[in-house]
Amino acid sequence: MTAQQRQGSQRSKHRMLIGLLAALILSIGISQIILAEKAITLSSNPISKQQKQKEQNTDAIVYLAQFSKVHSTYGAQHDIENNTISGNSKLSKSLDLLYSNYINHFPTNVDIIIFYVPEEGVPTNETMEELQLANRPQMKLHPLNSTYWSLPYNLHESDSIHWNRPMYSIGYRHMMRWFAILIWPYLHNLGYTHVMRLDDDSYIHSQIKYNLFEYMRDNHKVYGFRQPVIEDAVGAGWDDMVDKYLDSDKDATTQELVDDFKKDRRISFYNNFFIADISFFIRPPASTFLNAIDESNLIYTQRTGDLVVHSTLVRLLLPPKRIHWFRDFSYQHMTLCTNPKCGHGVVNGCPQNGGLSRGVNTYTDDEWSDITLHLKVKVEHDKKVVKRGDPPDRKCLWVVRYNTFIGAKDVMKCLKRKERCYPYLRQFLNSSEAAETSTFIPS
């Protein structure tokens, strides 16, 4: 073959590769290309290169921190002396409890990654000292750039006044998209296989005596949660979008899982704590489902939360034997109402969502009684000191049931045998793990 013929052959192969690439782009959709571009961008990040140069952990515990005194949605918060509480104070408490009750028993098995958005506040030297960064080699700070913290290309900030539930900021909706859609390829690209999430106000109150990640792997679990909940605020168009996806991909799941899901679509998992196998979310059918969700823009326009995305995906695509309900440690995540009108009889400054769940075989009844009393006294005191909009003599409506939970109604409703959650959750009680009858309130 002459040199000219060889050059012609090479040009032909080049044109063929370009054609194949174009066909691939058309077949996998624009959103998947966006995700691929994000992974490529990340691979050139010095943090990623540094991670790959050494043998690293494959398990990560992640936070998303706001290093500012004013939350983008909930505003300023105060302590009992009416001082403004920064996100650092809550995060520091969460980390202290995480280390004392878990990390110190498994010090080399996991990385703790604190994500933050530089435009919303950066950690100062004082902050890093408060978080004991120098004494916690597993802890890493990862800034999120505009690739991961910006509106999708077809949405504009000026449109946000027309979006559902406008009291939730655009930044809050970025957070939902991050935990629902974008975190999976990010962590996968860094070499992680499993992730556990905690919020800065997530508190683990009792010791965990085993490696959570090893438990997931050894028992072939894909997703784990701590608190079940009923979530009715899914946003207009969500159910139609889910049904359309199921109709378009008949092989994505089984009819049995679809039927079980449709018995009550609103049974959900609070995902301020979750632990998951990342590979599930970056491969079909979960990845194609996430792509459809992202293209719908419902996370922004309808405030469809990451809780809803996780719960729908997991319930539709995973059989119960691949899901785990952690019940053997005490966990608190409680959102207090900070609006003049909280709705549903919730007094301003009182629990609106979540609460404190007692782990099975943790605490004596007397200890639990002291803990719940302290929690109630503190919240009531805080409410009076900051002079919320409601009259200070209006007390919080606490839900306390059979020494298992204290907080708001939403979680409690999933802990009663006669309530909506039980038909689904009882599947976990019948699994190979030991079923504790005390998990549920007696009927």
Side-chain angles (χ1 to χ4, degrees), residues 302-350:
Q302 290 298 316
R303 197 251 176 240
T304 299
D306 48 301
L307 178 160
V308 176
V309 175
H310 280 216
S311 303
T312 301
L313 222 71
V314 168
R315 288 188 59 202
L316 276 173
L317 302 184
L318 289 175
K321 67 180 180 180
R322 307 298 298 278
I323 307 166
H324 185 65
W325 182 8
F326 288 98
R327 304 184 302 278
D328 53 1
F329 60 89
S330 297
Y331 174 77
Q332 176 185 337
H333 183 278
M334 186 168 64
T335 302
L336 304 180
C337 175
T338 58
N339 298 316
K341 295 182 179 180
C342 303
H344 306 293
V346 178
V347 177
N348 202 325
C350 294

Side-chain angles (χ1 to χ4, degrees), residues 15-26:
R15 285 194 298 270
M16 182 177 68
L17 287 173
I18 292 175
L20 288 173
L21 180 60
L24 177 63
I25 291 174
L26 290 174

Side-chain angles (χ1 to χ4, degrees), residues 271-289:
N271 69 331
N272 41 65
F273 170 94
F274 72 81
I275 183 166
D277 182 339
I278 295 170
S279 65
F280 167 72
F281 291 91
I282 62 171
R283 298 173 182 168
S287 61
T288 54
F289 202 167

